[in-house]
Amino acid sequence: AAPWLYQTWLRFGWPKVERATGPVDVTHATGLIPCPTDAPLVVTLHDLAFLHEPAHFSKHGVRTFLQSLERIKRDADVVLCSSQATLDDVLAAGIGADRLRLVPLGVDVEPAPAGEVARVRSLYGLPERYLLFVGTVEPRKNLRGLAAAVSMLEEPLPLIVVGSDGWGDIDVDAELRQGIDMRFLGFCLLY
């Protein structure tokens, strides 16, 4: 139902988030398509890749993202950008610097306990060393390019791909897979 909901949000500004939550002080949209609201709107943007590489998206996706960007320009009180490159792109797209904030993504790093590492390695048959790709599996993530780069290593490491299926054809040719161990684990829960 999400695609229909996004379209009603963008086209009609309905339903507002307050219909589900009651009154709120602020609404924070963590994705590119913010819900309508009467509260101040904060939007987090991770990239505007659809502007740079529209061929990596469906035509409908690009249209939807462009509509959403216009809504963000009009309605967002604050736009949080996860990188300087994104902030520069958002500024170039027409959102004023006074509404932009650079908020890099980050986490507190804690080493995983040895027993947990062993459990996950055993569960997924992972070797001691490997390369890990985590993300939605779709054309714009360029797994073909990653597989090609891994195949050029003197000693290719296994390439472990973790993430939900996205849209489009992401088949990595058998030719690219030659010489590398590439495993698709799909969406994984580790607890």
Side-chain angles (χ1 to χ4, degrees), residues 4-156:
W4 292 106
L5 181 61
Y6 295 159
Q7 288 304 312
T8 61
W9 284 355
L10 291 172
R11 291 181 185 196
F12 309 114
W14 179 89
K16 292 186 177 181
V17 71
E18 291 85 353
R19 183 172 176 158
T21 64
V24 296
D25 295 324
V26 66
T27 299
H28 180 196
T30 58
L32 186 58
I33 304 174
C35 60
T37 182
D38 289 324
L41 177 62
V42 176
V43 178
T44 295
L45 293 178
H46 300 285
D47 65 65
L48 296 182
F50 64 93
L51 293 177
H52 297 291
E53 297 290 340
H56 290 278
F57 298 83
S58 68
K59 289 179 183 179
H60 174 73
V62 171
R63 278 192 312 272
T64 299
F65 294 152
L66 287 170
Q67 286 178 318
S68 183
L69 183 58
E70 290 305 313
R71 175 147 188 276
I72 292 167
K73 284 182 194 179
R74 184 183 71 238
D75 297 343
D77 295 278
V78 175
V79 178
L80 308 177
C81 301
S82 59
S83 70
Q84 185 63 51
T86 299
L87 190 140
D88 294 343
D89 283 350
V90 173
L91 188 62
I95 297 178
D98 60 315
R99 294 192 289 157
L100 301 180
R101 305 291 182 278
L102 178 61
V103 182
L105 300 177
V107 296
D108 291 333
V109 178
E110 290 185 29
E116 184 63 11
V117 171
R119 182 187 75 77
V120 171
R121 269 207 186 111
S122 174
L123 180 65
Y124 293 106
L126 299 174
E128 180 73 24
R129 296 182 64 223
Y130 56 90
L131 294 172
L132 178 65
F133 168 92
V134 179
T136 305
V137 179
E138 57 188 43
R140 73 185 183 105
K141 303 299 174 106
N142 196 12
L143 280 175
R144 290 178 48 78
L146 181 57
V150 169
S151 72
M152 289 187 240
L153 295 173
E154 284 183 33
E155 292 183 39

